[in-house]
Amino acid sequence: MLWISKRKAEDFYKLAMTSLKAGDLDEALRNLRQAVNLDGNNVKYRKSLLDIYVKLGLCEEAVKEAQKLTELAPDDPEIHYKFALCLHKMGKEEALNEVEKAIKLNYNNPEYHALKAEILNDEGYHEDALLEAEKAIRLGKDDEYIHYLKAEILKEENRLMEAIEELEKASSFNPSSTFYYIEKARIYTQLKWYEEALEEYEKACNLNDSNDECHYEKAIVLMTLHRCDDALNELNKAIRLNPSRTEYRLAKAKLLIVTGIYEEALDECDQVLKKDPNNFEAHELKAEALEHLGKNEEAKREFEVVYRLTHDKEVFD
């Protein structure tokens, strides 16, 4: 009877591999579970099941499977790596221990060092994380992700110019991505190198003009440089692309007040208050615009709302 179960298990495994090649992960998962139910000590079946759990992002199931596999095949580094990967996604401290087991069993796999770098960085060990990232590169993982990871670590260490260099390397692997240009722009803004930040935002907008956050952030830099007309243009683009984002309208209201266009500022505040009647910043800006228009009684009422909202918040906090 045992050999019949094992033969059926192998049949389910073959069906699973066929489904996997066809891209049907759900069907592959069903067949692999059947194979494991029939032959629970088969490492091949369980490793394939673990792979699918990882691909589907089913971390809890993957962790249970990895725990069983580490009993059946304790010297398989890939099992420890995938175990660590899922533990890390779940925010478990044990992830570091598992990836270190994988590295001990196969030091030359750069993916293991990259994962260790990510875990160490998230735990606040930035210098150690940087060393692991550099090991990964030396071992052959010279790709977009590892340079982005290095940039993130360097930002944590406030080594901002080095972070920019790493973002440029990451961008060289994927030049059509706006992400790295925006990240560089944010660092330049942090450094108060506003012209350089604008150049990066321009590159991002040229690649993809439908990124509302890019237009918004560019507008904030332009406002800092007192280029009000250009900033207003960018804020209008951001609002057209995503009219539900209140911070875009609030920024526009501030800019309109600075430039003396008070009626339009009121319109923007009212748009925010339709969706969020208790937005104290919108009430505050509205009060300021009303005051400029000489509508002092209305302004006073708005200031009273601001006081009530902020006072209640302080009491609640």
Side-chain angles (χ1 to χ4, degrees):
M1 292 297 291
L2 182 61
W3 70 270
I4 294 175
S5 292
K6 288 194 173 184
R7 191 175 70 181
K8 285 183 178 178
E10 185 65 18
D11 289 340
F12 278 117
Y13 173 75
K14 288 175 181 176
L15 285 171
M17 293 303 101
T18 300
S19 298
L20 199 57
K21 285 179 183 177
D24 190 344
L25 293 179
D26 291 333
E27 183 64 22
L29 180 59
R30 281 191 288 272
N31 285 311
L32 278 171
R33 281 174 169 163
Q34 291 278 21
V36 168
N37 286 336
L38 289 164
D39 188 359
N41 290 327
N42 189 302
V43 172
K44 178 178 71 173
Y45 302 164
R46 286 192 174 276
K47 281 185 71 174
S48 296
L49 186 57
L50 174 61
D51 287 343
I52 290 181
Y53 282 144
V54 171
K55 285 176 183 174
L56 290 171
L58 301 172
C59 289
E60 290 187 7
E61 290 89 338
V63 163
K64 289 176 185 175
E65 198 58 47
Q67 285 171 331
K68 178 65 177 177
L69 276 165
T70 54
E71 295 171 9
L72 295 170
D75 295 330
D76 189 324
E78 197 66 11
I79 293 168
H80 290 289
Y81 167 69
K82 287 173 181 170
F83 195 1
L85 190 66
C86 291
L87 286 168
H88 180 50
K89 286 181 180 177
M90 294 170 70
K92 303 291 186 181
E93 291 180 0
E94 299 91 337
L96 183 59
N97 184 46
E98 288 301 321
V99 79
E100 284 176 343
K101 288 178 185 177
I103 290 170
K104 187 176 180 181
L105 290 163
N106 183 3
Y107 182 86
N108 292 323
N109 190 315
E111 297 293 340
Y112 302 170
H113 292 282
L115 178 58
K116 186 177 178 183
E118 186 179 323
I119 293 168
L120 287 167
N121 186 50
D122 287 351
E123 292 185 356
Y125 300 108
H126 308 306
E127 287 295 338
D128 292 336
L130 196 57
L131 289 173
E132 290 300 321
E134 288 167 352
K135 286 177 190 175
I137 292 170
R138 285 198 302 273
L139 290 167
K141 189 174 173 58
D142 187 13
D143 61 12
E144 178 182 350
Y145 172 74
I146 198 66
H147 289 291
Y148 169 66
L149 178 57
K150 272 191 77 177
E152 288 296 292
I153 297 166
L154 289 162
K155 280 197 295 182
E156 293 289 345
E157 288 287 286
N158 206 34
R159 294 161 62 176
L160 299 181
M161 292 310 298
E162 291 174 77
I164 286 173
E165 288 177 14
E166 292 301 323
L167 287 169
E168 286 173 350
K169 290 176 185 176
S171 182
S172 70
F173 289 95
N174 189 4
S176 63
S177 172
T178 62
F179 177 78
Y180 300 114
Y181 297 112
I182 293 170
E183 286 295 301
K184 282 188 283 181
R186 288 168 177 163
I187 295 175
Y188 280 130
T189 302
Q190 187 178 339
L191 290 165
K192 299 184 179 179
W193 293 16
Y194 300 121
E195 293 296 340
E196 288 81 358
L198 283 178
E199 285 181 21
E200 298 300 326
Y201 282 126
E202 282 290 342
K203 291 173 188 175
C205 289
N206 287 338
L207 283 168
N208 179 9
D209 201 43
S210 62
N211 186 320
D212 55 287
E213 283 193 0
C214 185
H215 288 294
Y216 169 69
E217 291 177 19
K218 185 180 174 185
I220 299 303
V221 174
L222 288 164
M223 287 168 69
T224 304
L225 293 171
H226 306 292
R227 291 170 54 181
C228 296
D229 289 343
D230 292 334
L232 185 58
N233 184 44
E234 293 299 323
L235 285 171
N236 284 332
K237 287 180 183 178
I239 290 167
R240 279 199 300 273
L241 290 164
N242 193 348
S244 65
R245 291 286 292 269
T246 58
E247 62 265 46
Y248 300 172
R249 293 191 180 276
L250 291 172
K252 184 179 176 183
K254 288 177 189 176
L255 182 57
L256 290 167
I257 289 169
V258 168
T259 53
I261 310 174
Y262 305 120
E263 292 289 355
E264 289 185 31
L266 287 176
D267 289 340
E268 293 300 329
C269 293
D270 286 337
Q271 287 292 328
V272 172
L273 292 170
K274 281 179 186 176
K275 294 183 177 179
D276 183 8
N278 292 326
N279 189 303
F280 77 89
E281 191 175 358
H283 283 291
E284 191 171 43
L285 288 168
K286 186 174 181 180
E288 191 176 344
L290 287 165
E291 199 171 41
H292 280 291
L293 289 167
K295 299 179 179 181
N296 296 326
E297 285 301 316
E298 292 178 58
K300 182 182 176 183
R301 285 195 292 272
E302 291 297 326
F303 279 126
E304 286 170 353
V305 173
V306 172
Y307 177 80
R308 187 182 71 249
L309 290 171
T310 54
H311 180 71
D312 288 350
K313 183 179 185 299
E314 287 170 7
V315 170
F316 179 79
D317 289 343

